[in-house]
Every structure is written in C-alpha cells, then in structure tokens.
Amino acid sequence: MDDVRGKVDDMTGKRSMKELLVGTYDMKYLCKPVFPYFRKSKGVPPPMFFGKDDFLGLFVALVMGLQHALAMVGGLITPPLLISNLAFGTRPGTNPPVPYSSGNPADTQRYLVQASLIVCGIMTFFQVLGVRIWKTNFQFGAGILSCMGVSFTTVPIATSVIGQLMKEQGHTFEEAYGMFLGTIAMCAVIPAILSFFPIRIIKKIFPPIVCGITIMMIGVHLIGAGFKNWGGGAFCADNWQHPPAPKTCYLPATYTNGTSYLQQSTQCWVGPGIKCGDPTKTEVFLPFGSQEYLGLGFLVFVTIIVLEIFGSPFMRNASVILALLFGYFIAAVTNYQGKKYVITNKIDQAPGITFLWTTTFPLGFYSPAIIPLMIVFIITSIETVGDTAATLEASRMQVNTEDGTRRIKGALLNDGISGIFSALATSLPLTTFAQNNGVISLTNVAARQAGFAAAFWLFLLGILGKVGAWITTIPECVLGGMTTFLFANVIASGIKIIINGDPLTRRSRFILACSLALAFGVELVPQWATLNLWPVTPGMSPGLRGLRDAIILVISTSFTLGAVVALILNLIIPADANANTCTTKALGLPEGADSGKLDGVDSSHDASGCEACEPLPPVKMITGGLEPVPTVEATRDNAVDANTDRV
C-alpha cells in the first residue's frame, strides 16, 4: 500500500494545477494539419517521448485515450454488425416469410454492438493494468499501452457456422449464436495454455509464413463482405435477380434448321431483383450496385485517403471513424427523390443506458466448429506475440528480456481469459489490437494513462444505448466503404508478416504457392468442397455427421485450409541446404561484405533465426565494428508500418 501511495505522490506531487489538468504535451503538434506538397522541411519534429509510467495530465490523457478509442472503434463495431445481419433474413420457401430471428433483429444488432464495446473496455483496462500473479513469474495483462478488440478472424467461421445451423438444422439466430458462443468459450483456453509455453517453441511450430497466409486469406474472405455492403447490402447482393416468377416472357431459341426465334416461357429470371434497404433505418430502396450507393461508399474511401495525406496526427490516427462520420453526415443531409437515406427511429426507441446481459442467448455447443476455432485461436495467439512485441518496441522497452517475455505471456493469458469472458458476456472473442502501435509511434506517447482513458471511452460508448442505436443506422454503403479499407489492411498485414518473417527462399515460396492455390481456389469456388465431396446420407450416424461437418467446414473455409496446408508442409519439407546462415542482404550489409568476418556480427544464426527477425537497419563500416545508422526515411516508414498493422 505504501508503494502505491508513493507512486501516486510521485505522479501528482510537486505539480501545479495546470500540469495536473493539462500536462506538458505539445497539443499543437497533435492537432495541426500538414500540407506535404508545400513544405520545404521534412515535417514538424514530434514532442518529447512519454514512457509507460510518465504523467500526462487529465485532459491530455483523455484526449490520447479518445484517439486510441477512435482508432479502434471502426474495427470493433464491424464484426457484430456483420454477424447480426444474419438475423434479418427469412427462411426460404415459407409463406408468409418466417424470420430467422425469434425476436427483434434490430434490437439484437444494437445489443451486440454495445456488448462488444463494453467487453473491449473492460478487458483493455486489465490489459493495460498488467496484474502480477501472486508468487509466480507470470502476470495477467501486458501492463503497457496495448488495447483489446474484437477479432476479425472469427467472422468467417461465425457466419458459416451460424448460417449452417439456421438453414440446415432449423435453429433460430439466437439459438445458433448461443451455440457458437459456447464453442468459443471452450476453445478460448488455447491462448491461456500457450501463455505458459516458451515463446520460441510457439514460433517454431507456427512460423510467420503460416500466420501470414492465414491472415491474408481472412482479409481476402472479408473483402467480399465489404464490397457487398458497399453495393447496398449483403442480402440484396446475394439476390440481385428475382427467382423464377410465374410471368410470361420470351427466351431466345433455335429451330433444328438453325433459324432463331423467341420461345415463350412462364418461368423467367427477372432483374433487377430484390432491392437493397432496411425499412427500419432508411426510406431509400435501390437495386444493388446503384450509383448512389457506390458514390456514398466511395466518398468514405476517398476521405480516408485525404486524411492520411493532409490530416494532423490525431486525424490520421482516427481517419477510419472520421471518414465514417463524414459519410454518415452526407447521407443524413441528402435525399433521393424526397426520401431520406437515414431515419432515426432506432435512436428514438433505444434506451438511454444499457449493459451486458440485457439480451441473452441460450449457450450450446457445436462440435464441428472446434477444429476451425482452434486454428483461429492459435493464429491470433501468434499475432498477439508479434503485436505485443511491437508495442514494447514502440514504447522503447526491451523485448528479449525477462520483463519483455513476461509481458508478452501476460498478453497471451489476457487473450485467453478475454475469449472466455467475452463469450459468457454474449460477445465475440477479443484479441490484442495492433492499430495502437501506430498511434504510439505518431504521438510519442506510450503512457498507460492513455490506455486507461481508452478503456474508459470504450466502456462509456458501450453503455450509452443511443450510441449503439446510432451505429445500427449507418447505411450499408457507407459502412462498406469503411470496412473494405479495414479488410484490405488485414491482407496487407498478412503480406507484411510473410515478407518480414521469411526471406522467401525456394522452400518458402513452394509452401506459399501450395497453400494459396488451395485457399484461393476454395474462396473463389466454395462449392468445390461442399456439394459432393462427402454427401450426407440418410443412415449417417450423428457422430459421423459431426466429423463430416467439421472436415467440410475446414476444407470449405479458405483461411483454415490454407493454414492447415502451410502448417503440414512447413513440418515435412526440409530446409534449403543453402539457407544455413543469414545473408548479407538480410543483415543490411554492403554488397560483397562477408558477414562471418565482421566484428559484432554473430554468423551462427540459422535459417529459422533469420525468419523470425526483420532486417537490421542500414550499417556503415567503422573501426572496431558496425554502427547502426538510422535514417529519417526509416523512422517514418516504421511509424507508417505500425499504423497499418492488423485491424
């Protein structure tokens, strides 16, 4: 207790009221836009660096926390929105139409969005706090400025599993979602178990090429969902033509002698099909891919680009949510033939304050989803190791030390506990987010006070019912312009992991080619694995049916198939004989230099060591060894790379 009181005195004592409230941070740097095409210098120098336990001041901490929250919120609301869209469908062949949801799907969607924000706020607090486990060398949480967010990696599995349970087994959305949550709660123990293993063993079994392929294919899969929303909505995208209608029409035909004619038919496909639009949030109903929808989505996409070029550090860090707000504003103030793109009935009917478990789902279990979810949690665990290490580096803390290893394992343990808690709290599983590393690099603030403030903002946004209702009124086309950019960042993160983690030898290129061949093939032609590979027979036992469903789910999901193929090939294909040591190119040495004869360079690194590390900074020859020479361009590129990591 005395130690805690002493730390509080160190943080608050000997400071004026102005310093306690405002701090000493240079807010001009944070908020001043830049004009890169008219500058003579290379930019305004960043303010002084604020370390993990440095004091920010109340106002600065709240501003920095809001910046981290805004950088995350676009990615946090997307998974629950995509999953809850499944509740709005109706069962085919029913007259009158029978909905998949047993309740009000709009209320369910609002609740899932708010539950995600609340859970992220709670678990971010523990991630930043970093509690040491009594009488052990472990801790719960990283204890640095690292935030928790809803993982994108579970979205493809969730949509596939929930859709299958509703369409093939007759469950309601609430029942199917509850079964998925129960399965998540069981599989989420994997990160917690891995947190007690040495980091080098985890990286050895699951190298960067396996993780990179998986993450890249997740982004490829999600890009389709983003484009469907951009064009007007997923349901109208899948039903852009009417089904065969009892309407007289004429189709081209040919007589036996070759003469063409129009043959009368009573069953025709008639365009433009089902129109896009949810009557609970819009008055405009247009065909999929209409100019109006594409224009609104493109406005959001271009706004992100403009903010990246001309925005201040604050605006660049929050570019995704700011672009979403701008697109929403334009949609709200415009109309189509006198009809509104946005109506606020949901906001008017939403409660002022809400919390977890105001809507519940019956927990269940779906065994075929175990293997895909195990792959998902293993991949997110590897991501957490890399993201936490990047946060430590951005915070100017040592990674390859006992303290750094303990913090990485603490983040892994928090991932596991968060996955279990989020499932029991009716939310999708969480993982360590990486966007915050870019915020740290741009602002030079790694103080945990900003992390606590970010947790506060996320929790506040979650309990305000009107905020969740507003999020559900965002037009699909506006949301699609934002999510397409987010999902493309997932692809870029996967490519970056592959390039930075592996020198792309003949062996790694072979693994990459085999994995991507099958993964892209299944992504483009999913029926390849679902129609007749292992058909369901009337006498199939429940156990065999569960095994069949699990295998088909793994094979028909692009990123799980790619991950399994890459993992197996990485284990059975021997390493290249000429890849025993790191090349001079990987070390950043001058061309022709012999790495084994240079002072200060350890030539005993094997190929696996090279794959686990990024190239070293440029070096120059001096008397007595090597001296790193950091460049302005390298510093700027590192900040940009950190800002485009996994979302």
Side-chain angles (χ1 to χ4, degrees), residues 480-493:
M482 178 202 73
T483 55
T484 299
F485 173 79
L486 288 178
F487 299 151
N489 269 276
V490 178
I491 300 175
S493 297

Side-chain angles (χ1 to χ4, degrees), residues 341-425:
Y341 284 101
V342 178
I343 57 177
T344 59
N345 294 341
K346 288 184 177 181
I347 301 177
D348 299 334
Q349 298 170 1
I353 301 294
T354 187
F355 197 66
L356 300 173
W357 302 295
T358 56
T359 299
T360 57
F361 306 90
L363 287 179
F365 185 73
Y366 186 60
S367 57
I370 293 178
I371 297 177
L373 285 176
M374 289 177 64
I375 296 174
V376 164
F377 279 109
I378 290 172
I379 296 303
T380 56
S381 299
I382 304 301
E383 283 187 282
T384 296
V385 172
D387 293 339
T388 309
T391 304
L392 288 168
E393 292 176 350
S395 304
R396 303 185 184 181
M397 301 173 64
Q398 296 295 322
V399 178
N400 297 319
T401 61
E402 182 180 351
D403 178 73
T405 301
R406 186 180 68 250
R407 294 182 186 278
I408 292 174
K409 290 185 175 183
L412 272 176
L413 181 59
N414 189 37
D415 264 25
I417 301 300
S418 296
I420 298 172
F421 171 71
S422 62
L424 298 179

Side-chain angles (χ1 to χ4, degrees), residues 182-499:
T183 313
I184 286 176
M186 190 196 77
C187 297
V189 300
I190 291 177
I193 294 174
L194 291 177
S195 67
F196 297 98
F197 282 81
I199 300 298
R200 58 180 179 83
I201 294 180
I202 302 175
K203 290 183 176 181
K204 184 71 175 179
I205 300 176
F206 305 100
I209 191 168
V210 176
C211 301
I213 290 172
T214 308
I215 295 169
M216 184 172 65
M217 291 311 304
I218 289 172
V220 171
H221 180 87
L222 293 174
I223 281 284
F227 253 56
K228 287 180 180 179
N229 279 327
W230 193 336
F235 185 70
C236 60
D238 295 332
N239 300 274
W240 64 276
Q241 285 184 320
H242 282 302
K247 177 180 178 181
T248 301
C249 57
Y250 297 89
L251 301 176
T254 305
Y255 290 114
T256 55
N257 61 2
T259 305
S260 299
Y261 71 101
L262 293 177
Q263 181 181 21
Q264 182 175 339
S265 175
T266 57
Q267 295 290 322
C268 301
W269 288 88
V270 183
I274 296 174
K275 292 186 177 181
C276 303
D278 179 1
T280 65
K281 64 180 184 181
T282 185
E283 297 176 349
V284 178
F285 303 95
L286 299 172
F288 179 79
S290 297
Q291 298 173 357
E292 293 78 7
Y293 290 147
L294 299 184
L296 286 171
F298 188 71
L299 177 66
V300 176
F301 198 86
V302 170
T303 303
I304 295 175
I305 298 174
V306 172
L307 290 176
E308 180 65 26
I309 297 174
F310 299 103
S312 65
F314 183 91
M315 297 172 70
R316 290 173 63 192
N317 290 331
S319 61
V320 171
I321 191 64
L322 293 178
L324 182 69
L325 291 172
F326 181 65
Y328 183 90
F329 171 76
I330 297 300
V333 299
T334 56
N335 61 76
Y336 175 78
Q337 297 180 353
K339 298 180 179 180
K340 299 179 180 179
Y341 284 101
V342 178
I343 57 177
T344 59
N345 294 341
K346 288 184 177 181
I347 301 177
D348 299 334
Q349 298 170 1
I353 301 294
T354 187
F355 197 66
L356 300 173
W357 302 295
T358 56
T359 299
T360 57
F361 306 90
L363 287 179
F365 185 73
Y366 186 60
S367 57
I370 293 178
I371 297 177
L373 285 176
M374 289 177 64
I375 296 174
V376 164
F377 279 109
I378 290 172
I379 296 303
T380 56
S381 299
I382 304 301
E383 283 187 282
T384 296
V385 172
D387 293 339
T388 309
T391 304
L392 288 168
E393 292 176 350
S395 304
R396 303 185 184 181
M397 301 173 64
Q398 296 295 322
V399 178
N400 297 319
T401 61
E402 182 180 351
D403 178 73
T405 301
R406 186 180 68 250
R407 294 182 186 278
I408 292 174
K409 290 185 175 183
L412 272 176
L413 181 59
N414 189 37
D415 264 25
I417 301 300
S418 296
I420 298 172
F421 171 71
S422 62
L424 298 179
T426 66
S427 175
L428 294 172
L430 309 186
T431 188
T432 303
F433 257 35
Q435 303 93 309
N436 307 91
N437 297 335
V439 179
I440 295 173
S441 299
L442 283 174
T443 60
N444 259 7
V445 173
R448 290 193 299 165
Q449 288 180 343
F452 291 129
F456 163 76
W457 285 114
L458 292 174
F459 185 82
L460 180 64
L461 292 174
I463 64 174
L464 296 178
K466 301 294 184 182
V467 174
W470 167 78
I471 292 173
T472 62
T473 64
I474 299 174
E476 278 82 0
C477 56
V478 174
L479 186 68
M482 178 202 73
T483 55
T484 299
F485 173 79
L486 288 178
F487 299 151
N489 269 276
V490 178
I491 300 175
S493 297
I495 295 174
K496 179 185 176 184
I497 291 174
I498 295 173
I499 294 175

Side-chain angles (χ1 to χ4, degrees), residues 1-15:
M1 191 67 184
D2 293 337
D3 293 340
V4 174
R5 187 180 295 108
K7 291 182 179 179
V8 172
D9 292 339
D10 291 340
M11 294 179 65
T12 60
K14 300 180 181 179
R15 289 188 174 91

Side-chain angles (χ1 to χ4, degrees), residues 481-540:
M482 178 202 73
T483 55
T484 299
F485 173 79
L486 288 178
F487 299 151
N489 269 276
V490 178
I491 300 175
S493 297
I495 295 174
K496 179 185 176 184
I497 291 174
I498 295 173
I499 294 175
N500 288 351
D502 197 301
L504 289 183
T505 61
R506 174 183 173 84
R507 174 182 181 273
S508 59
R509 290 197 305 269
F510 183 84
I511 296 174
L512 188 65
C514 291
S515 304
L516 293 183
L518 296 176
F520 271 106
V522 169
E523 182 63 37
L524 297 173
V525 190
Q527 62 270 26
W528 177 84
T530 57
L531 294 181
N532 298 299
L533 179 63
W534 190 349
V536 178
T537 58
M540 185 176 289

